[in-house]
Every structure is written in C-alpha cells, then in structure tokens.
Amino acid sequence: MAITILDYVKSVVGDKDFYTAEDCLASGVDILGGCQGCHATIAAYNAYPSTSGYWRCAHCIGNDGYATVADFTAPASAACPSCGTTDNISENRITTGERAEEYALECGDCGEVWQQ
Ligand SMILES: [Zn+2]
Ligand SMILES: [Zn+2]
C-alpha cells in the first residue's frame, strides 16, 4: 500500500491526534490538492504522492505511489532512459563541443550516455 501525504506529514511533525494546515505547511505540502488522474479534490489524509510528482487519490494511485516515507523523501535518483535501471549510474564528463565539456550520466548496465 502506498503512503499518503499525511504519512509524510506525520514523519515530519510527529504523531498527533489531529493534523492542521500548519502541520502540512511545516512539512512543505498543501493540505488540499487535486488528483492528477480524476481531478477529485483530495486532502492530505487521502492524497497519495505519486512518482510522477503529482498527488493521486486512492483509486488512481495504482502502482505509482511510494511504499515508504523514506522512498518519498529520498533524492530523486537518475534512471537510465534506455533500460530504466537506477542502480548502476555513474557521472562522467563528456565532450560536447570543441572546447566544451559537460557532465553526463552513463548507465553501467546498457552503456547508455545521456544528459539531464
Ligand atoms: Zn483520482
Ligand atoms: Zn541502461
């Protein structure tokens, strides 16, 4: 089951009987939002953060939610655009012009090189 926005708020402000708009604000989230899928109005307790970056309702979250608060708060890891792995990505400098060098990411699994 995916975590809700409220689960995340709880992890920031601690366990309480009642969570207010201020608690949400302190956690950097809104107390009300809209579902990306069906546009229903949802509140922190029934809003699920999805990997798309938008909130979804319980019906629309599907498999796009976060299993744990730690997953939700982890810095977005780069995923290989070719094979999708996130485990074996390294940062390299590549030559992008006669005198230009830029950072690029390289996938250790399939060899794909890309820039973010
Ligand atoms: Zn929905
Ligand atoms: Zn790859």
Side-chain angles (χ1 to χ4, degrees):
M1 191 64 207
I3 59 148
T4 63
I5 291 292
L6 189 62
D7 290 325
Y8 166 65
V9 173
K10 273 184 201 172
S11 77
V12 176
V13 300
D15 259 324
K16 291 189 185 188
D17 289 337
F18 185 72
Y19 292 89
T20 64
E22 282 73 40
D23 292 327
C24 291
L25 216 62
S27 313
V29 295
D30 291 322
I31 195 163
L32 277 179
C35 170
Q36 186 195 11
C38 66
H39 305 291
T41 300
I42 44 182
Y45 69 90
N46 64 358
Y48 297 80
S50 81
T51 51
S52 72
Y54 294 95
W55 289 10
R56 305 224 184 136
C57 70
H59 180 71
C60 297
I61 187 63
N63 293 319
D64 294 327
Y66 293 89
T68 65
V69 172
D71 282 349
F72 175 54
T73 55
S77 52
C80 172
S82 176
C83 71
T85 188
T86 54
D87 292 337
N88 208 358
I89 309 294
S90 57
E91 213 172 65
N92 289 309
R93 287 176 84 75
I94 57 165
T95 306
T96 53
E98 251 174 62
R99 284 178 197 166
E101 269 201 339
E102 285 179 52
Y103 279 106
L105 298 169
E106 181 173 359
C107 173
D109 283 356
C110 71
E112 180 83 4
V113 176
W114 73 100
Q115 287 181 279
Q116 285 191 313

